[in-house]
């Protein structure tokens, strides 16, 4: 285990986990819920976004600057300055997005340093990278919605970037602008992209969990309170602000960078567009293919569990308990006394031995670890733990 | 953890919650703590029951520096909302610590080895 990871890194991560356990016990250790943390922030984003959406007006009608002007910027201004708790909700929405990116990156790092990203877990890694990209793009579209000067610059830079892509570029540009230029139709398209893609994240999450029998998707209440508390305190410490209203006839060139979401724009501003796309696509492909089994040969190849056909009674207990859905119950062969028979999907099996413990009939074994050896190891661990 | 500490934690948390539940809307209504702004029943209690109530005039300007901070940070209005945010954040930190402290004892799991038939 941990063969492809620098050992110091793994030891460091495990030492932090152990230290956290000593302080707050393993029940409330966020390292054991690292996958659930971004999802908690996703629910916060959905709820806070619902309120913002109710008051948001997706237009750019700013031909006549006046106090009574109603457009995207003024509606955001109304939410911030007039709506009770509007600024706080807006701040929560903004910082929950940042927190989601931070927790996703920490989740990915934890998965990587503990070598839990490849072989039978490749699908979680690949879908995780896709989810991260989607979250980044959804977050960026949130910055367009405010329709301040930064939104205008970001919109124009995005259009330029799409335009530089061969073949699909013009189509992407037309889709993004909802036409050929920045108009009211463009602003009506932004909430559609922002909210539509946000809900698509749920589909992505389903794919992320598809081979996990019991994914941990909700942290315990104490951690939830702490996550929400962090947001509320940051909202107070860094009140949310907007820039000047965007003027379609002006050409603002500088803006504040939110490094969690807008780093691609920083890159875009410093390199030509061809280099930008090469770097972005290269980084995406590089991250995605990390778990390919051929890239990292396991020091100890996994020997999948094997079903003892003469002993299996088709009770399905092993199938229920398998964490990776690697055991499928199929109709038993003709002549069998039982209806079902367990079969192992070798490419999904992690050789964790859970099925061996689940089977009450000694009908499943790990080739390199006999049932008696597994029981002996568990007994030794249990006896070594005081109070067990 | 000793049950007595649990009870003390619960009582302290309840008192703090009640106090803030009363004080926050009180502040929202623009009451600055001056004696004349006190509800009648509290004034009556102060004068007739001789309760050891603090002098609220001393804390009336306490929020000025916080408001100044918010203004410098870019907030333009509704500073009271940010006060709610701060207090709710602190309350949730306290709640998280309380839950973790009380739930610590349940974190110890017992391992039961299955006996195969």
């Amino acid at each position: 285990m941990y063969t492809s990871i620098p050992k110091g890194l793994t030891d460091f991560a495990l030492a932090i986990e152990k230290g956290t356990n000593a302080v707050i016990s393993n029940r409330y250790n966020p390292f054991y819920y690292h996958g659930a943390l971004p999802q908690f922030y996703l629910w916060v984003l959905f709820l806070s976004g619902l309120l913002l959406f109710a008051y948001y007006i997706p237009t750019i009608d700013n031909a006549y600057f006046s106090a009574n002007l109603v457009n995207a910027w003024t509606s955001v201004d109304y939410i911030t300055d007039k709506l009770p708790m509007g600024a706080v909700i807006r701040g929560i929405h903004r910082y929950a997005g940042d927190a989601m990116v931070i927790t996703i990156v920490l989740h990915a790092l934890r998965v990587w340093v503990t070598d839990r990203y490849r072989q039978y877990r490749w699908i979680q890694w690949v879908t995780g990278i896709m989810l991260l990209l989607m979250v980044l793009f959804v977050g960026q579209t949130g910055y367009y919605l405010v329709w301040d000067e930064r939104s205008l610059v970001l919109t124009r830079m995005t259009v330029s970037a799409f335009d530089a892509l061969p073949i699909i570029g013009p189509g992407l540009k037309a889709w993004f602008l909802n036409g050929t230029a920045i108009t009211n139709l463009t602003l009506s398209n932004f909430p559609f992209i922002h909210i539509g893609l946000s809900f698509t994240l749920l589909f992505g999450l389903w794919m992320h969990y598809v081979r996990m029998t019991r994914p941990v998707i909700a942290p315990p209440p104490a951690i939830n309170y702490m996550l929400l508390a962090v947001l509320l305190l940051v909202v107070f410490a860094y009140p949310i602000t907007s820039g000047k209203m965007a003027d379609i006839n002006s050409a603002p060139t500088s803006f504040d960078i939110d490094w969690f979401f807008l780093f691609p724009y920083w890159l875009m501003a410093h390199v030509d567009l061809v280099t930008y796309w090469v770097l972005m696509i290269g980084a995406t492909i590089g991250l995605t293919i990390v778990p390919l089994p051929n890239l990292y040969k396991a020091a100890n190849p996994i020997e999948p569990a094997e079903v003892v056909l003469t002993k299996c009674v088709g009770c399905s207990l092993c199938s229920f308990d398998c964490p990776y859905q690697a055991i499928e119950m199929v109709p038993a062969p003709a002549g069998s006394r039982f209806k079902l028979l367990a079969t192992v999907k070798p490419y999904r099996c992690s050789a964790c031995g859970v099925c061996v413990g689940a089977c009450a009939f000694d009908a499943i074994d790990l080739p390199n670890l006999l049932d008696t050896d597994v029981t002996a190891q568990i007994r030794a661990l249990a006896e070594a733990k005081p109070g067990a | 953890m000793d049950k007595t500490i649990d009870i003390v934690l619960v009582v302290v948390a309840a008192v703090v919650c009640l106090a803030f539940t009363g004080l926050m809307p009180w502040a929202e209504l623009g009451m600055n703590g001056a004696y004349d702004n006190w509800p009648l029943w509290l004034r009556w209690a102060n004068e007739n029951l001789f309760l050891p109530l603090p002098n609220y005039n001393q804390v009336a300007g306490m929020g000025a520096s916080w408001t100044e901070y918010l203004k410098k940070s870019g907030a333009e209005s509704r500073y009271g909302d940010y006060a709610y945010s701060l207090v709710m954040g602190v309350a949730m930190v306290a709640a998280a610590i309380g839950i973790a402290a009380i739930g610590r004892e349940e974190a110890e799991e017992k391992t039961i080895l299955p006996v195969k038939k």
Side-chain angles (χ1 to χ4, degrees):
Chain A
M1 208 177 175
Y2 306 152
T3 49
S4 65
I5 314 298
K7 192 173 180 309
L9 209 56
T10 307
D11 290 345
F12 177 67
L14 296 178
I16 291 178
E17 274 184 36
K18 198 177 171 186
T20 314
N21 273 340
V23 178
I24 56 174
S25 84
N26 58 350
R27 192 180 184 192
Y28 301 106
N29 188 339
F31 286 100
Y32 299 143
Y33 305 94
H34 53 95
L37 304 183
Q39 193 155 321
F40 173 80
Y41 282 124
L42 182 64
W43 304 135
V44 173
L45 284 163
F46 277 149
L47 285 175
S48 54
L50 195 65
L51 182 129
L52 299 176
F53 179 63
Y55 289 89
Y56 182 70
I57 299 169
T59 65
I60 62 165
D61 275 334
N62 55 353
Y64 305 98
F65 284 96
S66 74
N68 296 322
L69 194 67
V70 176
N71 66 2
W73 188 89
T74 49
S75 66
V76 172
D77 195 45
Y78 175 82
I79 291 169
T80 312
D81 284 345
K82 304 287 190 302
L83 199 65
M85 299 298 282
V88 172
I89 299 290
R90 201 181 145 213
I92 286 174
H93 195 70
R94 153 81 190 276
Y95 294 125
D98 291 346
M100 195 175 176
V101 173
I102 294 170
T103 49
I104 288 175
V105 171
L106 289 176
H107 171 52
L109 279 174
R110 166 67 165 70
V111 164
W112 181 65
V113 297
T114 52
D115 203 23
R116 295 180 176 183
Y117 62 96
R118 61 198 172 96
Q119 291 177 314
Y120 48 90
R121 289 185 172 108
W122 72 269
I123 199 164
Q124 276 91 18
W125 179 266
V126 172
T127 52
I129 296 297
M130 294 303 123
L131 281 167
L132 174 60
L133 292 178
M134 284 169 72
V135 166
L136 289 175
F137 187 61
V138 170
Q140 287 163 10
T141 56
Y143 282 93
Y144 312 149
L145 294 173
V146 181
W147 206 238
D148 55 8
E149 288 183 336
R150 175 166 59 184
S151 310
L152 184 60
V153 181
L154 295 178
T155 303
R156 284 173 174 161
M157 289 176 83
T158 308
V159 170
S160 304
F162 283 152
D163 220 11
L165 283 171
I167 305 170
I168 59 170
L172 278 175
K173 181 182 165 185
W175 162 76
F176 183 72
L177 288 174
N178 205 7
T180 54
I182 299 172
T183 62
N184 280 341
L185 292 176
T186 311
L187 256 285
S188 67
N189 199 30
F190 286 169
F192 178 77
I193 298 172
H194 187 68
I195 298 167
L197 266 183
S198 301
F199 281 101
T200 311
L201 285 173
L202 295 176
F203 175 71
L205 277 174
W206 171 74
M207 290 181 70
H208 200 54
Y209 295 149
V210 75
R211 283 195 188 165
M212 297 165 76
T213 308
R214 281 173 288 277
V216 179
I217 57 172
I223 294 181
N224 288 342
Y225 284 172
M226 196 56 93
L227 295 175
L228 208 50
V230 168
L231 282 185
L232 290 164
L233 295 176
V234 172
V235 166
F236 177 85
Y238 303 99
I240 199 81
T241 56
S242 300
K244 288 180 185 172
M245 188 195 295
D247 177 3
I248 203 81
N249 298 315
S250 70
T253 52
S254 63
F255 56 87
D256 293 334
I257 281 275
D258 174 352
W259 288 102
F260 296 109
F261 287 105
L262 302 182
F263 63 90
Y265 292 93
W266 177 86
L267 184 64
M268 211 186 295
H270 288 82
V271 296
D272 63 275
L273 289 172
V274 174
T275 312
Y276 168 78
W277 279 117
V278 167
L279 287 172
M280 295 303 282
I281 294 170
T284 304
I285 293 173
L287 281 172
T288 307
I289 63 173
V290 158
L292 279 185
N294 290 337
L295 284 181
Y296 298 108
K297 299 279 187 191
N300 301 307
I302 289 169
E303 293 279 349
E306 288 176 353
V307 177
V308 183
L309 300 178
T310 52
K311 290 184 178 177
C312 180
V313 299
C315 67
S316 303
L317 284 177
C318 55
S319 175
F320 291 144
D321 278 3
C322 176
Y324 303 108
Q325 300 181 2
I327 298 178
E328 187 178 7
M329 302 307 296
V330 298
S336 171
R337 289 192 296 138
F338 308 106
K339 289 182 180 174
L340 297 171
L341 177 72
T343 53
V344 178
K345 295 179 176 177
Y347 54 91
R348 289 192 188 179
C349 180
S350 70
C352 64
V354 167
C355 53
V356 179
C359 182
F361 303 95
D362 290 339
I364 194 159
D365 278 318
L366 294 174
N368 293 333
L369 203 58
L370 294 176
D371 187 35
T372 48
D373 297 335
V374 174
T375 311
Q377 283 186 13
I378 295 171
R379 193 176 296 282
L381 283 170
E383 284 168 359
K385 188 180 174 187
Chain B
M1 185 178 278
D2 194 292
K3 283 288 170 198
T4 317
I5 300 173
D6 292 357
I7 293 165
V8 170
L9 272 176
V10 170
V11 170
V12 169
V15 169
V16 171
C17 284
L18 277 174
F20 273 102
T21 306
L23 286 175
M24 294 296 283
W26 183 256
E28 274 293 286
L29 289 168
M31 306 304 185
N32 59 11
Y35 188 76
D36 290 343
N37 285 332
W38 290 22
L40 280 175
W41 64 269
L42 197 56
R43 273 193 277 171
W44 179 87
N46 189 44
E47 288 161 10
N48 297 288
L49 301 179
F50 305 107
L51 293 176
L53 295 169
N55 181 2
Y56 286 90
N57 284 324
Q58 290 175 354
V59 295
M62 238 176 70
S65 58
W66 297 92
T67 309
E68 199 55 39
Y69 166 77
L70 287 166
K71 280 181 184 172
K72 278 184 186 169
S73 304
E76 292 172 1
S77 58
R78 303 197 66 87
Y79 304 114
D81 290 356
Y82 289 98
Y84 273 109
S85 182
L86 176 67
V87 173
M88 283 192 291
V90 173
M92 283 188 175
V93 170
I97 293 170
I99 292 171
I102 292 169
R104 224 181 126 88
E105 63 188 25
E106 292 164 26
E108 197 64 37
E109 292 174 358
K110 303 287 181 195
T111 306
I112 300 166
L113 292 180
V115 179
K116 289 205 172 187
K117 293 175 183 175

